[in-house]
Amino acid sequence: DTEVTQTPKHLVMGMTNKKSLKCEQHMGHRAMYWYKQKAKKPPELMFVYSYEKLSINESVPSRFSPECPNSSLLNLHLHALQPEDSALYLCASSQEWGALSYNEQFFGPGTRLTVL
Amino acid sequence: AQTVTQSQPEMSVQEAETVTLSCTYDTSESDYYLFWYKQPPSRQMILVIRQEAYKQQNATENRFSVNFQKAAKSFSLKISDSQLGDAAMYFCAYRTALHHSNYQLIWGAGTKLIIKP
């Protein structure tokens, strides 16, 4: 199984709502990532989890709260978002967070988030 | 700091023909990895091809091949016999191979590839 799954596919939320994005992989990967992608732009790294511990937080506002309950699952909790947070949110995983070989990242299909 | 430049925002090619997407990068490191990712309109980002900097031989994956010029810091992607399904955004990316460093992917701005039937 070389698949990363993400739910939901689409999400519309108001600025006062609380919602969560979910990501799952069963490839035995120990690194998982959250990216934000605006239209026609490359992905921007938000968070990296390595062995279920937060390794990288790219100065992301606290209205985004990541969680890694176990090695297969990654959540992104959303609260009090702004309209400019509307974007495609991509999850990815790789064998490890490190210099080991290619460590290629496998991406999920993304969640299209719209903040009204 | 490393940077990746894709100078072609958009390219178009006739179906069945060959197209080359350019990518240059800047780094002071000697060991690193380079990647081409494809993102079709359906959004799923897929790895197309990868190259280790210490390997002189250019990587090839079926119709996709790279021209890796380490001294020139160039990593172009050639797509042969273009197919309608090749239409996508193509991103070039760099990652360090050095330990005790930041292992995140450094992305180019992307090239939109249009396939004309």
Side-chain angles (χ1 to χ4, degrees):
Chain A
D1 184 6
T2 58
E3 190 178 9
V4 176
T5 59
Q6 290 187 243
T7 54
K9 288 185 179 180
H10 301 274
L11 179 61
V12 180
M13 58 186 292
M15 290 189 285
T16 58
N17 292 158
K18 285 185 179 181
K19 297 286 184 183
S20 296
L21 309 184
K22 179 180 173 181
C23 173
E24 202 162 2
Q25 57 88 14
H26 295 285
M27 294 178 278
H29 289 172
R30 305 315 301 260
M32 296 187 76
Y33 311 76
W34 280 117
Y35 288 91
K36 174 183 177 181
Q37 188 181 26
K38 291 282 198 179
K40 298 183 180 180
K41 297 290 186 182
E44 299 172 40
L45 184 64
M46 299 174 72
F47 303 104
V48 179
Y49 272 85
S50 176
Y51 288 85
E52 300 158 49
K53 292 185 178 179
L54 186 63
S55 292
I56 296 285
N57 177 341
E58 290 289 302
S59 303
V60 179
S62 59
R63 58 185 183 269
F64 295 91
S65 176
E67 179 195 18
C68 190
N70 58 59
S71 60
S72 299
L73 191 58
L74 187 66
N75 298 321
L76 186 63
H77 303 297
L78 314 173
H79 174 55
L81 294 192
Q82 304 296 310
E84 60 263 28
D85 297 322
S86 298
L88 182 68
Y89 287 84
L90 295 171
C91 175
S93 71
S94 68
Q95 189 176 353
E96 285 197 347
W97 172 246
L100 174 68
S101 187
Y102 286 107
N103 243 344
E104 64 191 73
Q105 293 184 24
F106 292 80
F107 286 82
T111 294
R112 174 72 64 192
L113 175 67
T114 302
V115 182
L116 302 176
Chain B
Q2 294 80 26
T3 59
V4 177
T5 301
Q6 293 179 250
S7 58
Q8 306 152 319
E10 188 174 295
M11 292 279 286
S12 63
V13 64
Q14 206 72 37
E15 192 176 5
E17 294 191 346
T18 296
V19 64
T20 298
L21 309 185
S22 67
C23 172
T24 58
Y25 58 93
D26 189 28
T27 184
S28 59
E29 298 175 339
S30 59
D31 201 10
Y32 46 87
Y33 302 101
L34 296 165
F35 306 89
W36 277 100
Y37 278 90
K38 167 187 177 181
Q39 190 175 33
S42 63
R43 308 172 310 185
Q44 186 123 21
M45 189 84 73
I46 304 167
L47 180 68
V48 174
I49 201 165
R50 58 191 190 187
Q51 175 87 38
E52 293 188 61
Y54 74 85
K55 289 186 177 178
Q56 292 188 343
Q57 187 172 7
N58 289 326
T60 299
E61 289 287 343
N62 300 314
R63 297 183 296 107
F64 298 86
S65 61
V66 296
N67 183 4
F68 173 49
Q69 302 287 331
K70 190 172 183 179
K73 298 179 182 175
S74 172
F75 183 61
S76 60
L77 175 69
K78 185 173 87 171
I79 306 173
S80 303
D81 185 26
S82 298
Q83 300 175 1
L84 293 177
D86 295 333
M89 282 291 288
Y90 285 81
F91 292 100
C92 179
Y94 168 105
R95 188 177 67 79
T96 186
L98 300 179
H99 289 278
H100 308 296
S101 183
N102 190 330
Y103 307 113
Q104 69 173 282
L105 289 170
I106 309 299
W107 299 87
T111 296
K112 181 179 180 181
L113 180 63
I114 298 168
I115 311 294
K116 293 188 270 188

Short mmCIF file of all heavy atoms in Angstrom, two decimals, chain B residues 12-66:
data_model
loop_
_atom_site.label_atom_id
_atom_site.label_comp_id
_atom_site.label_asym_id
_atom_site.label_seq_id
_atom_site.Cartn_x
_atom_site.Cartn_y
_atom_site.Cartn_z
N SER B 12 4.04 24.46 -23.76
CA SER B 12 3.06 23.64 -24.48
C SER B 12 3.79 22.79 -25.51
O SER B 12 4.84 23.19 -26.03
CB SER B 12 2.00 24.52 -25.13
OG SER B 12 2.58 25.36 -26.10
N VAL B 13 3.21 21.64 -25.77
CA VAL B 13 3.82 20.70 -26.71
C VAL B 13 2.72 19.94 -27.42
O VAL B 13 1.65 19.68 -26.84
CB VAL B 13 4.77 19.73 -25.97
CG1 VAL B 13 4.01 18.87 -24.98
CG2 VAL B 13 5.56 18.88 -26.95
N GLN B 14 2.98 19.59 -28.65
CA GLN B 14 2.05 18.78 -29.41
C GLN B 14 2.13 17.34 -28.92
O GLN B 14 3.23 16.83 -28.58
CB GLN B 14 2.41 18.84 -30.90
CG GLN B 14 1.27 18.59 -31.85
CD GLN B 14 0.28 19.74 -31.91
OE1 GLN B 14 0.65 20.91 -31.84
NE2 GLN B 14 -0.98 19.41 -32.03
N GLU B 15 0.98 16.72 -28.84
CA GLU B 15 0.94 15.31 -28.44
C GLU B 15 1.90 14.50 -29.30
O GLU B 15 2.03 14.74 -30.51
CB GLU B 15 -0.49 14.79 -28.62
CG GLU B 15 -0.77 13.45 -28.00
CD GLU B 15 -2.24 13.05 -28.15
OE1 GLU B 15 -3.02 13.78 -28.81
OE2 GLU B 15 -2.61 11.99 -27.62
N ALA B 16 2.61 13.57 -28.67
CA ALA B 16 3.58 12.67 -29.30
C ALA B 16 4.95 13.30 -29.51
O ALA B 16 5.89 12.61 -29.90
CB ALA B 16 3.07 12.09 -30.61
N GLU B 17 5.08 14.59 -29.27
CA GLU B 17 6.38 15.22 -29.43
C GLU B 17 7.14 15.25 -28.10
O GLU B 17 6.64 14.81 -27.07
CB GLU B 17 6.20 16.62 -30.02
CG GLU B 17 5.65 16.56 -31.45
CD GLU B 17 5.72 17.91 -32.15
OE1 GLU B 17 5.92 18.92 -31.48
OE2 GLU B 17 5.54 17.91 -33.39
N THR B 18 8.33 15.79 -28.16
CA THR B 18 9.21 15.82 -26.98
C THR B 18 9.30 17.23 -26.43
O THR B 18 9.33 18.20 -27.20
CB THR B 18 10.62 15.32 -27.36
OG1 THR B 18 10.53 13.95 -27.76
CG2 THR B 18 11.59 15.44 -26.20
N VAL B 19 9.33 17.35 -25.13
CA VAL B 19 9.43 18.65 -24.48
C VAL B 19 10.44 18.57 -23.35
O VAL B 19 10.58 17.52 -22.70
CB VAL B 19 8.05 19.10 -23.95
CG1 VAL B 19 7.53 18.17 -22.87
CG2 VAL B 19 8.08 20.54 -23.46
N THR B 20 11.13 19.67 -23.13
CA THR B 20 12.12 19.73 -22.04
C THR B 20 11.78 20.87 -21.10
O THR B 20 11.62 22.02 -21.54
CB THR B 20 13.54 19.92 -22.60
OG1 THR B 20 13.88 18.79 -23.43
CG2 THR B 20 14.55 20.01 -21.47
N LEU B 21 11.67 20.55 -19.82
CA LEU B 21 11.40 21.55 -18.78
C LEU B 21 12.71 21.85 -18.06
O LEU B 21 13.43 20.93 -17.69
CB LEU B 21 10.36 21.03 -17.79
CG LEU B 21 9.06 20.48 -18.38
CD1 LEU B 21 8.09 20.11 -17.26
CD2 LEU B 21 8.43 21.45 -19.35
N SER B 22 12.98 23.11 -17.85
CA SER B 22 14.27 23.47 -17.27
C SER B 22 14.17 23.71 -15.76
O SER B 22 13.12 24.10 -15.23
CB SER B 22 14.83 24.72 -17.95
OG SER B 22 14.02 25.83 -17.65
N CYS B 23 15.28 23.45 -15.10
CA CYS B 23 15.38 23.67 -13.65
C CYS B 23 16.84 23.95 -13.34
O CYS B 23 17.73 23.18 -13.75
CB CYS B 23 14.90 22.45 -12.88
SG CYS B 23 15.19 22.53 -11.09
N THR B 24 17.10 25.03 -12.67
CA THR B 24 18.44 25.30 -12.16
C THR B 24 18.36 25.49 -10.66
O THR B 24 17.31 25.84 -10.12
CB THR B 24 19.06 26.55 -12.82
OG1 THR B 24 18.21 27.68 -12.57
CG2 THR B 24 19.23 26.36 -14.32
N TYR B 25 19.46 25.27 -10.00
CA TYR B 25 19.46 25.37 -8.54
C TYR B 25 20.78 25.98 -8.10
O TYR B 25 21.76 26.01 -8.83
CB TYR B 25 19.23 24.00 -7.90
CG TYR B 25 20.24 22.97 -8.31
CD1 TYR B 25 21.38 22.73 -7.55
CD2 TYR B 25 20.06 22.23 -9.48
CE1 TYR B 25 22.32 21.80 -7.95
CE2 TYR B 25 21.00 21.29 -9.89
CZ TYR B 25 22.12 21.09 -9.13
OH TYR B 25 23.06 20.17 -9.52
N ASP B 26 20.76 26.47 -6.89
CA ASP B 26 21.96 27.06 -6.33
C ASP B 26 22.22 26.42 -4.97
O ASP B 26 21.33 26.41 -4.11
CB ASP B 26 21.82 28.57 -6.19
CG ASP B 26 23.12 29.24 -5.83
OD1 ASP B 26 24.19 28.69 -6.18
OD2 ASP B 26 23.10 30.30 -5.18
N THR B 27 23.43 25.91 -4.78
CA THR B 27 23.79 25.29 -3.52
C THR B 27 25.30 25.28 -3.38
O THR B 27 26.03 25.26 -4.38
CB THR B 27 23.24 23.85 -3.42
OG1 THR B 27 23.53 23.32 -2.14
CG2 THR B 27 23.85 22.96 -4.49
N SER B 28 25.76 25.28 -2.17
CA SER B 28 27.19 25.11 -1.91
C SER B 28 27.49 23.68 -1.45
O SER B 28 28.65 23.34 -1.23
CB SER B 28 27.64 26.11 -0.83
OG SER B 28 26.90 25.90 0.36
N GLU B 29 26.46 22.86 -1.33
CA GLU B 29 26.63 21.49 -0.89
C GLU B 29 27.09 20.61 -2.05
O GLU B 29 26.81 20.90 -3.21
CB GLU B 29 25.31 20.95 -0.31
CG GLU B 29 24.85 21.74 0.92
CD GLU B 29 23.49 21.29 1.42
OE1 GLU B 29 22.72 20.69 0.65
OE2 GLU B 29 23.20 21.55 2.61
N SER B 30 27.76 19.54 -1.70
CA SER B 30 28.27 18.64 -2.73
C SER B 30 27.40 17.40 -2.89
O SER B 30 27.45 16.72 -3.91
CB SER B 30 29.69 18.21 -2.39
OG SER B 30 29.71 17.55 -1.13
N ASP B 31 26.58 17.12 -1.88
CA ASP B 31 25.76 15.92 -1.91
C ASP B 31 24.30 16.29 -1.64
O ASP B 31 24.00 16.92 -0.62
CB ASP B 31 26.24 14.90 -0.88
CG ASP B 31 25.78 13.50 -1.21
OD1 ASP B 31 25.26 13.29 -2.33
OD2 ASP B 31 25.92 12.60 -0.37
N TYR B 32 23.44 15.89 -2.56
CA TYR B 32 22.04 16.29 -2.44
C TYR B 32 21.22 15.41 -3.38
O TYR B 32 21.77 14.60 -4.15
CB TYR B 32 21.85 17.77 -2.79
CG TYR B 32 22.57 18.21 -4.04
CD1 TYR B 32 21.97 18.09 -5.30
CD2 TYR B 32 23.85 18.76 -3.96
CE1 TYR B 32 22.64 18.49 -6.44
CE2 TYR B 32 24.53 19.16 -5.10
CZ TYR B 32 23.92 19.02 -6.34
OH TYR B 32 24.59 19.41 -7.47
N TYR B 33 19.91 15.58 -3.30
CA TYR B 33 18.99 14.86 -4.17
C TYR B 33 18.15 15.88 -4.93
O TYR B 33 17.83 16.95 -4.42
CB TYR B 33 18.05 13.98 -3.35
CG TYR B 33 18.76 12.96 -2.49
CD1 TYR B 33 18.95 13.18 -1.13
CD2 TYR B 33 19.24 11.77 -3.03
CE1 TYR B 33 19.60 12.26 -0.34
CE2 TYR B 33 19.90 10.84 -2.24
CZ TYR B 33 20.08 11.10 -0.90
OH TYR B 33 20.73 10.18 -0.11
N LEU B 34 17.81 15.51 -6.15
CA LEU B 34 16.94 16.34 -6.97
C LEU B 34 15.74 15.51 -7.41
O LEU B 34 15.86 14.31 -7.68
CB LEU B 34 17.70 16.86 -8.20
CG LEU B 34 18.87 17.79 -7.88
CD1 LEU B 34 19.77 17.95 -9.10
CD2 LEU B 34 18.35 19.15 -7.42
N PHE B 35 14.61 16.18 -7.49
CA PHE B 35 13.35 15.49 -7.82
C PHE B 35 12.56 16.31 -8.82
O PHE B 35 12.63 17.54 -8.85
CB PHE B 35 12.48 15.33 -6.56
CG PHE B 35 13.15 14.66 -5.39
CD1 PHE B 35 13.86 15.40 -4.46
CD2 PHE B 35 13.04 13.29 -5.21
CE1 PHE B 35 14.46 14.80 -3.37
CE2 PHE B 35 13.63 12.67 -4.12
CZ PHE B 35 14.35 13.42 -3.21
N TRP B 36 11.80 15.60 -9.62
CA TRP B 36 10.72 16.22 -10.40
C TRP B 36 9.41 15.60 -9.92
O TRP B 36 9.25 14.38 -9.93
CB TRP B 36 10.88 15.96 -11.90
CG TRP B 36 11.82 16.89 -12.57
CD1 TRP B 36 13.12 16.69 -12.91
CD2 TRP B 36 11.52 18.22 -13.01
NE1 TRP B 36 13.65 17.80 -13.52
CE2 TRP B 36 12.68 18.76 -13.60
CE3 TRP B 36 10.36 19.02 -12.99
CZ2 TRP B 36 12.74 20.04 -14.14
CZ3 TRP B 36 10.41 20.29 -13.52
CH2 TRP B 36 11.60 20.79 -14.10
N TYR B 37 8.50 16.47 -9.52
CA TYR B 37 7.16 16.05 -9.13
C TYR B 37 6.17 16.58 -10.15
O TYR B 37 6.35 17.65 -10.71
CB TYR B 37 6.79 16.61 -7.74
CG TYR B 37 7.33 15.82 -6.57
CD1 TYR B 37 8.57 16.11 -6.01
CD2 TYR B 37 6.58 14.79 -6.01
CE1 TYR B 37 9.04 15.40 -4.92
CE2 TYR B 37 7.05 14.07 -4.92
CZ TYR B 37 8.29 14.37 -4.38
OH TYR B 37 8.76 13.66 -3.31
N LYS B 38 5.11 15.81 -10.31
CA LYS B 38 4.03 16.17 -11.23
C LYS B 38 2.74 16.32 -10.44
O LYS B 38 2.43 15.47 -9.58
CB LYS B 38 3.88 15.05 -12.26
CG LYS B 38 2.64 15.06 -13.11
CD LYS B 38 2.56 13.80 -13.96
CE LYS B 38 1.30 13.73 -14.77
NZ LYS B 38 1.23 12.46 -15.57
N GLN B 39 1.99 17.38 -10.71
CA GLN B 39 0.71 17.58 -10.05
C GLN B 39 -0.35 17.86 -11.10
O GLN B 39 -0.53 18.97 -11.58
CB GLN B 39 0.77 18.74 -9.04
CG GLN B 39 -0.47 18.84 -8.16
CD GLN B 39 -0.33 19.92 -7.10
OE1 GLN B 39 0.31 20.94 -7.32
NE2 GLN B 39 -0.94 19.70 -5.93
N PRO B 40 -1.11 16.81 -11.49
CA PRO B 40 -2.17 16.99 -12.49
C PRO B 40 -3.30 17.83 -11.91
O PRO B 40 -3.35 18.06 -10.70
CB PRO B 40 -2.64 15.55 -12.77
CG PRO B 40 -1.60 14.67 -12.19
CD PRO B 40 -0.98 15.43 -11.06
N PRO B 41 -4.22 18.24 -12.75
CA PRO B 41 -5.37 19.03 -12.27
C PRO B 41 -6.15 18.34 -11.16
O PRO B 41 -6.82 18.99 -10.40
CB PRO B 41 -6.21 19.23 -13.53
CG PRO B 41 -5.22 19.15 -14.65
CD PRO B 41 -4.20 18.14 -14.21
N SER B 42 -6.10 17.03 -11.04
CA SER B 42 -6.77 16.31 -9.95
C SER B 42 -6.05 16.49 -8.63
O SER B 42 -6.51 16.01 -7.60
CB SER B 42 -6.86 14.82 -10.29
OG SER B 42 -5.55 14.27 -10.40
N ARG B 43 -4.92 17.16 -8.62
CA ARG B 43 -4.20 17.64 -7.45
C ARG B 43 -3.16 16.70 -6.84
O ARG B 43 -2.33 17.16 -6.09
CB ARG B 43 -5.16 18.08 -6.33
CG ARG B 43 -6.22 19.04 -6.74
CD ARG B 43 -7.23 19.27 -5.64
NE ARG B 43 -7.75 18.05 -5.07
CZ ARG B 43 -8.71 18.02 -4.16
NH1 ARG B 43 -9.25 19.13 -3.73
NH2 ARG B 43 -9.14 16.87 -3.68
N GLN B 44 -3.25 15.39 -7.02
CA GLN B 44 -2.31 14.51 -6.33
C GLN B 44 -0.90 14.69 -6.85
O GLN B 44 -0.63 14.51 -8.04
CB GLN B 44 -2.73 13.04 -6.48
CG GLN B 44 -1.88 12.11 -5.65
CD GLN B 44 -2.73 11.27 -4.70
OE1 GLN B 44 -3.92 11.10 -4.91
NE2 GLN B 44 -2.10 10.74 -3.66
N MET B 45 0.01 15.06 -5.99
CA MET B 45 1.41 15.25 -6.32
C MET B 45 2.07 13.87 -6.44
O MET B 45 1.99 13.05 -5.52
CB MET B 45 2.09 16.05 -5.21
CG MET B 45 3.49 16.50 -5.53
SD MET B 45 3.55 18.02 -6.47
CE MET B 45 3.09 19.20 -5.21
N ILE B 46 2.76 13.64 -7.56
CA ILE B 46 3.37 12.34 -7.81
C ILE B 46 4.83 12.54 -8.17
O ILE B 46 5.16 13.42 -8.95
CB ILE B 46 2.66 11.62 -8.98
CG1 ILE B 46 1.16 11.48 -8.71
CG2 ILE B 46 3.26 10.24 -9.21
CD1 ILE B 46 0.37 11.09 -9.94
N LEU B 47 5.69 11.70 -7.62
CA LEU B 47 7.10 11.76 -7.98
C LEU B 47 7.29 11.18 -9.37
O LEU B 47 6.83 10.08 -9.67
CB LEU B 47 7.93 10.97 -6.98
CG LEU B 47 9.43 10.96 -7.26
CD1 LEU B 47 10.03 12.35 -7.06
CD2 LEU B 47 10.13 9.95 -6.34
N VAL B 48 7.95 11.94 -10.23
CA VAL B 48 8.20 11.50 -11.61
C VAL B 48 9.56 10.83 -11.72
O VAL B 48 9.70 9.75 -12.30
CB VAL B 48 8.13 12.70 -12.58
CG1 VAL B 48 8.53 12.28 -13.99
CG2 VAL B 48 6.74 13.33 -12.57
N ILE B 49 10.57 11.49 -11.17
CA ILE B 49 11.93 11.01 -11.34
C ILE B 49 12.82 11.66 -10.28
O ILE B 49 12.50 12.73 -9.78
CB ILE B 49 12.43 11.30 -12.78
CG1 ILE B 49 13.59 10.40 -13.17
CG2 ILE B 49 12.73 12.77 -12.95
CD1 ILE B 49 13.86 10.40 -14.67
N ARG B 50 13.93 10.98 -9.96
CA ARG B 50 14.81 11.48 -8.91
C ARG B 50 16.25 11.22 -9.33
O ARG B 50 16.54 10.33 -10.13
CB ARG B 50 14.50 10.78 -7.60
CG ARG B 50 14.63 9.28 -7.69
CD ARG B 50 14.07 8.57 -6.50
NE ARG B 50 14.45 7.15 -6.53
CZ ARG B 50 14.00 6.24 -5.70
NH1 ARG B 50 13.15 6.58 -4.74
NH2 ARG B 50 14.39 4.98 -5.78
N GLN B 51 17.14 12.00 -8.73
CA GLN B 51 18.55 11.90 -9.08
C GLN B 51 19.40 12.18 -7.85
O GLN B 51 19.14 13.14 -7.12
CB GLN B 51 18.89 12.92 -10.18
CG GLN B 51 20.34 13.02 -10.57
CD GLN B 51 20.74 12.04 -11.65
OE1 GLN B 51 20.01 11.75 -12.58
NE2 GLN B 51 21.96 11.51 -11.53
N GLU B 52 20.40 11.36 -7.62
CA GLU B 52 21.37 11.65 -6.56
C GLU B 52 22.53 12.43 -7.17
O GLU B 52 23.00 12.09 -8.26
CB GLU B 52 21.89 10.36 -5.93
CG GLU B 52 20.84 9.59 -5.17
CD GLU B 52 21.42 8.42 -4.41
OE1 GLU B 52 22.28 8.65 -3.53
OE2 GLU B 52 21.02 7.29 -4.69
N ALA B 53 23.00 13.42 -6.48
CA ALA B 53 24.02 14.30 -7.03
C ALA B 53 25.33 13.59 -7.34
O ALA B 53 26.05 13.96 -8.27
CB ALA B 53 24.28 15.47 -6.08
N TYR B 54 25.65 12.55 -6.59
CA TYR B 54 26.94 11.89 -6.80
C TYR B 54 26.91 10.92 -8.00
O TYR B 54 27.95 10.45 -8.45
CB TYR B 54 27.40 11.16 -5.55
CG TYR B 54 26.68 9.86 -5.24
CD1 TYR B 54 27.07 8.66 -5.83
CD2 TYR B 54 25.60 9.84 -4.37
CE1 TYR B 54 26.41 7.47 -5.55
CE2 TYR B 54 24.93 8.65 -4.08
CZ TYR B 54 25.34 7.47 -4.68
OH TYR B 54 24.69 6.31 -4.39
N LYS B 55 25.71 10.65 -8.50
CA LYS B 55 25.59 9.75 -9.65
C LYS B 55 25.72 10.55 -10.94
O LYS B 55 24.97 11.48 -11.19
CB LYS B 55 24.25 9.02 -9.63
CG LYS B 55 24.14 7.97 -8.54
CD LYS B 55 22.85 7.19 -8.66
CE LYS B 55 22.80 6.08 -7.61
NZ LYS B 55 21.53 5.31 -7.66
N GLN B 56 26.68 10.17 -11.77
CA GLN B 56 26.88 10.89 -13.02
C GLN B 56 25.85 10.50 -14.07
O GLN B 56 25.51 11.28 -14.94
CB GLN B 56 28.29 10.65 -13.54
CG GLN B 56 29.37 11.26 -12.66
CD GLN B 56 30.74 11.17 -13.29
OE1 GLN B 56 30.96 10.39 -14.22
NE2 GLN B 56 31.68 11.95 -12.78
N GLN B 57 25.37 9.26 -13.97
CA GLN B 57 24.42 8.79 -14.97
C GLN B 57 23.07 9.46 -14.78
O GLN B 57 22.54 9.54 -13.66
CB GLN B 57 24.27 7.28 -14.86
CG GLN B 57 23.44 6.66 -15.97
CD GLN B 57 23.46 5.14 -15.94
OE1 GLN B 57 24.00 4.53 -15.01
NE2 GLN B 57 22.88 4.53 -16.95
N ASN B 58 22.51 9.92 -15.88
CA ASN B 58 21.20 10.57 -15.81
C ASN B 58 20.10 9.55 -15.55
O ASN B 58 20.09 8.47 -16.16
CB ASN B 58 20.91 11.30 -17.13
CG ASN B 58 21.77 12.53 -17.29
OD1 ASN B 58 22.09 13.21 -16.32
ND2 ASN B 58 22.16 12.81 -18.51
N ALA B 59 19.18 9.90 -14.68
CA ALA B 59 18.07 9.02 -14.36
C ALA B 59 17.07 8.96 -15.52
O ALA B 59 16.87 9.95 -16.23
CB ALA B 59 17.37 9.50 -13.09
N THR B 60 16.45 7.80 -15.65
CA THR B 60 15.44 7.58 -16.69
C THR B 60 14.32 6.74 -16.12
O THR B 60 14.57 5.78 -15.40
CB THR B 60 16.04 6.84 -17.90
OG1 THR B 60 17.09 7.64 -18.46
CG2 THR B 60 15.00 6.62 -18.97
N GLU B 61 13.10 7.15 -16.42
CA GLU B 61 11.90 6.40 -16.03
C GLU B 61 10.95 6.39 -17.22
O GLU B 61 10.19 7.33 -17.42
CB GLU B 61 11.21 7.04 -14.82
CG GLU B 61 11.93 6.90 -13.52
CD GLU B 61 11.87 5.50 -12.93
OE1 GLU B 61 11.02 4.70 -13.35
OE2 GLU B 61 12.70 5.21 -12.05
N ASN B 62 11.04 5.34 -18.01
CA ASN B 62 10.17 5.19 -19.18
C ASN B 62 10.34 6.39 -20.12
O ASN B 62 11.43 6.63 -20.63
CB ASN B 62 8.73 4.98 -18.75
CG ASN B 62 8.56 3.75 -17.90
OD1 ASN B 62 9.08 2.68 -18.20
ND2 ASN B 62 7.85 3.89 -16.77
N ARG B 63 9.30 7.18 -20.33
CA ARG B 63 9.37 8.32 -21.24
C ARG B 63 10.01 9.56 -20.61
O ARG B 63 10.18 10.57 -21.30
CB ARG B 63 7.96 8.67 -21.72
CG ARG B 63 7.27 7.58 -22.52
CD ARG B 63 5.89 8.03 -23.01
NE ARG B 63 4.96 8.27 -21.91
CZ ARG B 63 4.58 9.48 -21.52
NH1 ARG B 63 5.03 10.57 -22.14
NH2 ARG B 63 3.72 9.62 -20.53
N PHE B 64 10.33 9.49 -19.35
CA PHE B 64 10.87 10.63 -18.63
C PHE B 64 12.37 10.43 -18.38
O PHE B 64 12.78 9.37 -17.92
CB PHE B 64 10.15 10.81 -17.28
CG PHE B 64 8.68 11.09 -17.40
CD1 PHE B 64 7.77 10.06 -17.51
CD2 PHE B 64 8.22 12.40 -17.41
CE1 PHE B 64 6.41 10.33 -17.63
CE2 PHE B 64 6.86 12.67 -17.53
CZ PHE B 64 5.95 11.63 -17.64
N SER B 65 13.14 11.44 -18.69
CA SER B 65 14.57 11.38 -18.43
C SER B 65 15.05 12.76 -18.00
O SER B 65 14.38 13.76 -18.25
CB SER B 65 15.34 10.90 -19.66
OG SER B 65 15.15 11.79 -20.74
N VAL B 66 16.19 12.78 -17.33
CA VAL B 66 16.73 14.06 -16.90
C VAL B 66 18.09 14.27 -17.56
O VAL B 66 18.77 13.33 -17.94
CB VAL B 66 16.86 14.15 -15.37
CG1 VAL B 66 15.49 14.06 -14.70
CG2 VAL B 66 17.81 13.09 -14.82
#
